[in-house]
Amino acid sequence: MKKFLALLLIFVLLFCSCQSEQPNWDVRPMMYYNNSYWKNPYMPISELPAGYEYAGTVDTEMAYNTGLEGIEYYINPATNDFYTYQETGTPIGGNTVDTTKRAMHYVQWVPIDE
């Protein structure tokens, strides 16, 4: 009986230790705009593309889980995206951003379903 309880205790401890580890999900920041969720899959850029105009500042609802409340955003009525002007890492080539060199850049946001 003691061996059974000891074995049971070991299994319970193993089970609990496995359950306490949380998966390390790479959760992408999203914005909520015009009843849709938006992501920023592209590299930040230094200049706003032609045709975009100031549309206001990001409010708490639009910022969703990004912490970007109060920053400026820009829209182009002819496209299905928008840009924010925010602090990011500095692009250093290809698809690489140096996160230690922070600067202000434009970040494109597109609907999640695209």
Side-chain angles (χ1 to χ4, degrees), residues 5 18 37-38 43-45 50-51 58 64 67 69 71 75 77-78 87 90 93 111:
L5 290 176
C18 290
Y37 292 97
W38 301 70
M43 296 285 289
I45 57 176
V58 174
Y64 191 61
E69 296 89 346
I71 65 166
I75 60 170
E87 184 180 34
T90 300

Side-chain angles (χ1 to χ4, degrees), residues 1-62:
M1 185 66 152
K2 288 182 183 180
K3 288 182 183 180
F4 175 73
L5 290 176
L7 190 57
L8 182 61
L9 180 60
I10 290 171
F11 281 120
V12 168
L13 291 174
L14 285 173
F15 179 74
C16 290
S17 67
C18 290
Q19 293 297 317
S20 66
E21 293 181 26
Q22 296 296 320
N24 186 12
W25 299 107
D26 181 21
V27 178
R28 184 162 207 68
M30 293 186 299
M31 297 266 253
Y32 186 73
Y33 177 66
N34 282 345
N35 297 317
S36 296
Y37 292 97
W38 301 70
K39 62 183 176 181
N40 60 345
Y42 305 113
M43 296 285 289
I45 57 176
S46 298
E47 294 184 27
L48 188 64
Y52 286 84
E53 56 190 42
Y54 177 78
T57 57
V58 174
D59 62 17
T60 303
E61 181 182 19
M62 184 178 176

Side-chain angles (χ1 to χ4, degrees), residues 54-100:
Y54 177 78
T57 57
V58 174
D59 62 17
T60 303
E61 181 182 19
M62 184 178 176
Y64 191 61
N65 66 351
T66 59
L68 297 176
E69 296 89 346
I71 65 166
E72 300 171 351
Y73 73 99
Y74 301 82
I75 60 170
N76 180 341
T79 64
N80 190 26
D81 65 350
F82 66 91
Y83 281 84
T84 54
Y85 188 61
Q86 65 188 78
E87 184 180 34
T88 69
T90 300
I92 56 173
N95 275 336
T96 307
V97 173
D98 183 344
T99 58
T100 64

